[in-house]
Amino acid sequence: MRIDILTLFPDTVGDMMNESILGRAQERGYIRIETHQIRDYTKNKQNQVDDYPYGGGRGAVMQADPLYHAWCHACDEAGGPVHTIYLSPCGHVFCQQDAKRLSKMENLILVCGHYEGIDQRFIDECVDEEISIGDFVLTGGEIPAMAIADSVCRLVPGVLPDAECFEDESHWDGTLEYPQYSRPAIWHGREVPPILVSGDHAKVARWRRKQSLLRTRERRPDMYRKLKLESKEDKKILREIADDDELAAAEAMDSGK
């Protein structure tokens, strides 16, 4: 997979994308991430990339022409079909399903806006979709671009050791991940749940699944309501959770008497 990022701050983005897991994946040839300085594609001595908005108002708008020439260069370097994404608070909110979808593409171009945004004509001509990372506004698209590149690239075969590294995490199947623990076994008087040191892998897997469902119900009820739990094991766990709820309610009533 190749990702080209059009930005006013290529060094900052490049430094982040060349570290840790993504850096090693690039060295091994599983992914390639390139940054492009939009100012290099201006046609004025000042390397100006923005101007006042038509219609008035505060701030400035990034001009279409420098973006277009940067985009054309990135397309040429990709050497094949590209999918262009503009990081915008007006886009649909990014989720794990988007990461799965985009990880199957060969070439992505991520466009980072600044100021009051970018000229709509560039969006109309070159952008395939607009994506937001949440219902808030940032000063530029670099942080969203890095977040999306990271979440997409880690799903590319070979970047992580095996599929379990991401299939067992939050949001993959619509649930949140179970609690994790490491050494020492007791820290500040808090013990690791005994089942995790029991050596019984089946019981550990079941405990983790139950904790995942409980955590999702508690923290993301919107996600929990969408779950379709049809396996026999999940149904057993749901019955067990219901029994636990009834017992807790009964104990609460007894303590209140």
Side-chain angles (χ1 to χ4, degrees):
M1 161 174 273
R2 177 188 174 104
I3 297 180
D4 290 274
I5 302 176
L6 312 187
T7 171
L8 297 177
F9 303 97
D11 292 338
T12 300
V13 175
D15 287 345
M16 284 295 296
M17 295 290 95
N18 288 320
E19 294 293 333
S20 188
I21 292 173
L22 297 191
R24 292 193 294 272
Q26 290 195 72
E27 291 174 359
R28 295 167 184 166
Y30 294 116
I31 58 174
R32 183 174 179 180
I33 302 175
E34 297 289 345
T35 58
H36 304 264
Q37 171 57 268
I38 299 169
R39 293 189 188 279
D40 291 343
Y41 300 89
T42 58
K43 296 179 179 179
N44 55 73
K45 294 180 180 179
Q46 297 79 23
N47 290 333
Q48 181 180 349
V49 297
D50 62 290
D51 210 331
Y52 297 112
Y54 278 116
R58 297 180 63 85
V61 175
M62 291 184 70
Q63 297 167 299
D65 206 53
L67 286 165
Y68 176 73
H69 288 293
W71 178 80
C72 288
H73 180 75
C75 289
D76 289 342
E77 287 200 345
V82 301
H83 185 78
T84 302
I85 298 169
Y86 169 45
L87 290 315
S88 164
C90 297
H92 73 267
V93 178
F94 185 76
C95 68
Q96 187 66 28
Q97 293 303 315
D98 290 312
K100 292 180 187 179
R101 171 174 58 87
L102 297 175
S103 70
K104 295 178 172 61
M105 297 182 178
E106 291 295 325
N107 301 296
L108 296 178
I109 296 179
L110 307 182
V111 181
C112 303
H114 261 273
Y115 316 120
E116 294 302 310
I118 68 178
D119 193 306
Q120 182 65 38
R121 291 169 293 184
F122 172 80
I123 298 173
D124 294 340
E125 184 159 335
C126 304
V127 171
D128 294 301
E129 67 176 310
E130 297 182 50
I131 290 180
S132 167
I133 61 168
D135 296 332
F136 52 89
V137 178
L138 298 171
T139 56
E142 283 73 22
I143 290 175
M146 289 188 286
I148 289 172
D150 188 297
S151 65
V152 169
C153 285
R154 66 196 304 276
L155 303 183
V156 174
V159 173
L160 297 179
D162 55 62
E164 185 179 347
C165 294
F166 50 78
E167 290 178 355
D168 206 26
E169 293 183 333
S170 294
H171 301 290
W172 181 261
D173 65 351
T175 62
L176 301 181
E177 189 176 9
Y178 47 80
Q180 296 277 19
Y181 298 86
S182 185
R183 295 180 180 179
I186 301 175
W187 178 80
H188 288 196
R190 300 173 185 270
E191 296 187 26
V192 171
I195 195 168
L196 296 180
V197 294
S198 67
D200 190 321
H201 298 298
K203 288 183 178 180
V204 168
R206 191 176 192 281
W207 180 88
R208 285 175 168 171
R209 180 60 174 169
K210 181 178 179 180
Q211 294 301 313
S212 174
L213 294 175
L214 286 169
R215 177 175 277 189
T216 306
R217 185 180 71 167
E218 176 184 352
R219 301 186 183 185
R220 291 295 302 274
D222 57 318
M223 290 171 55
Y224 189 79
R225 287 192 294 269
K226 296 178 183 177
L227 290 177
K228 295 181 180 180
L229 304 175
E230 299 176 349
S231 73
K232 290 183 179 180
E233 187 60 28
D234 278 343
K235 289 179 179 179
K236 288 181 181 179
I237 293 174
L238 289 177
R239 286 196 294 269
E240 185 177 308
I241 290 174
D243 291 342
D244 292 344
D245 290 343
E246 289 183 10
L247 180 60
E251 291 176 348
M253 289 183 62
D254 289 341
S255 64
K257 291 180 179 179

